[in-house]
Amino acid sequence: MGQPKAVDGGATVRTAQPSTRPTGTHQHTGGSTQARELCLETHAPQPKKKRDDTAFEQAREQIDALKARAQAGEIELAYLDEAGFGQVHPNRSAWPPCGQQHCIDAPRGRRLNVMAAWLSSGEIAPAQYWEHTNSAVFVGFLSQLQQRVDKPLVVILDNASIHKAKAIQAELKLLEQRGVTLHFLPTYSPELNRIETLWRIMKHRWLDACHRTKEKLEQDIKHIFDNFGKLYTLNFFEKTSYS
């Protein structure tokens, strides 16, 4: 049987229908009614990558020490990362009521890019844009982030090329002189960057599974950021399982 089509010709995404509902699904404040009713899976399976377990453990211990310093008020700690949000919701597993299917229209659309830092003070500092993410965007964002804190800033981030580009080394050196320290994670260690959890929950719990116009996508993402800590909550210092 061919894949069903939307009215406008785009493909329709059909969710999986296992016969039983999974146990142990994580719950997070702010989950949409649709996500709860359909039992949408919050955490998509992650492929295992080859990584240095020793480096991973050392980084975990270093981050725990940084979190302790942040709780003591010595530094502002930030998890920084980039993510993309499509007008078509990401396909994922769901468990709808028996005999029903959950389908959404999936015409082609654009990707809204988001760069954000989750601060130990509890704030989210976001920037959303339709342009490509590059090193200039990164260093500009980092400069604005530094200006909004009044203590030494330690930023936990991955090894993406835009974070280490030669073109921005002079700007990064100036930011270092102003109290900004970049703490790079080992490769294949997304679990150590807590903002990765935020991206997953935004996509798979807080946003309804539907097709969005550009304007609607911007509004929905902005709504989550504007209400983070109120309608949508996560604990910055929550103990994370690294297994």
Side-chain angles (χ1 to χ4, degrees):
M1 182 179 294
Q3 185 180 25
K5 298 291 185 179
V7 175
D8 58 6
T12 298
V13 175
R14 176 180 294 157
T15 58
Q17 298 185 71
S19 59
T20 59
R21 175 177 176 171
T23 59
T25 303
H26 296 280
Q27 297 295 323
H28 302 275
T29 303
S32 67
T33 301
Q34 180 198 59
R36 291 193 298 271
E37 291 177 348
L38 290 171
C39 304
L40 296 173
E41 188 172 31
T42 306
H43 302 292
Q46 298 295 318
K48 291 184 178 180
K49 298 286 187 177
K50 183 177 180 180
R51 67 183 176 204
D52 186 328
D53 290 335
T54 300
F56 182 89
E57 180 61 23
Q58 290 175 345
R60 184 193 66 78
E61 293 175 356
Q62 291 168 356
I63 291 173
D64 286 345
L66 288 172
K67 289 164 66 175
R69 292 182 61 195
Q71 287 182 300
E74 298 177 15
I75 61 172
E76 186 76 43
L77 185 60
Y79 292 105
L80 184 149
D81 195 32
E82 303 84 25
F85 293 82
Q87 289 180 249
V88 176
H89 205 79
N91 195 13
R92 58 187 176 178
S93 298
W95 291 264
C98 185
Q100 299 183 24
Q101 291 182 334
H102 179 231
C103 300
I104 63 172
D105 291 338
R108 292 183 179 275
R110 294 191 63 187
R111 168 188 168 110
L112 178 65
N113 290 311
V114 177
M115 182 176 292
W118 186 4
L119 302 171
S120 53
S121 60
E123 296 179 77
I124 290 284
Q128 53 191 68
Y129 44 90
W130 294 100
E131 298 77 14
H132 292 298
T133 302
N134 54 35
S135 59
V137 172
F138 166 66
V139 77
F141 177 84
L142 196 60
S143 179
Q144 293 181 359
L145 185 64
Q146 184 272 327
Q147 295 175 33
R148 68 185 293 166
V149 302
D150 58 1
K151 60 184 70 173
L153 174 65
V154 180
V155 180
I156 296 172
L157 69 172
D158 61 29
N159 291 274
S161 59
I162 65 168
H163 300 158
K164 295 184 172 182
K166 292 182 179 179
I168 62 171
Q169 289 305 307
E171 290 91 337
L172 292 180
K173 189 65 177 178
L174 287 174
L175 287 170
E176 182 181 359
Q177 294 171 2
R178 296 173 187 167
V180 178
T181 300
L182 300 184
H183 187 92
F184 291 101
L185 296 171
T187 55
Y188 302 126
S189 302
E191 305 98 315
L192 297 176
N193 192 340
R194 186 135 170 75
I195 202 171
E196 294 276 6
T197 300
L198 175 66
W199 297 144
R200 288 199 304 272
I201 294 173
M202 284 181 67
K203 292 180 178 182
H204 300 298
R205 181 65 59 179
W206 292 346
L207 289 170
D208 285 337
C210 65
H211 174 262
R212 293 174 171 81
T213 63
K214 289 176 61 177
E215 294 75 15
K216 178 62 174 172
L217 180 58
E218 289 177 337
Q219 291 170 5
D220 287 354
I221 299 299
K222 185 177 185 298
H223 175 75
I224 290 175
F225 287 136
D226 287 348
N227 291 280
F228 187 80
K230 304 170 187 174
L231 300 178
Y232 307 94
T233 61
L234 280 177
N235 186 345
F236 184 96
F237 295 103
E238 180 180 345
K239 191 69 174 178
T240 304
S241 173
Y242 300 101
S243 58

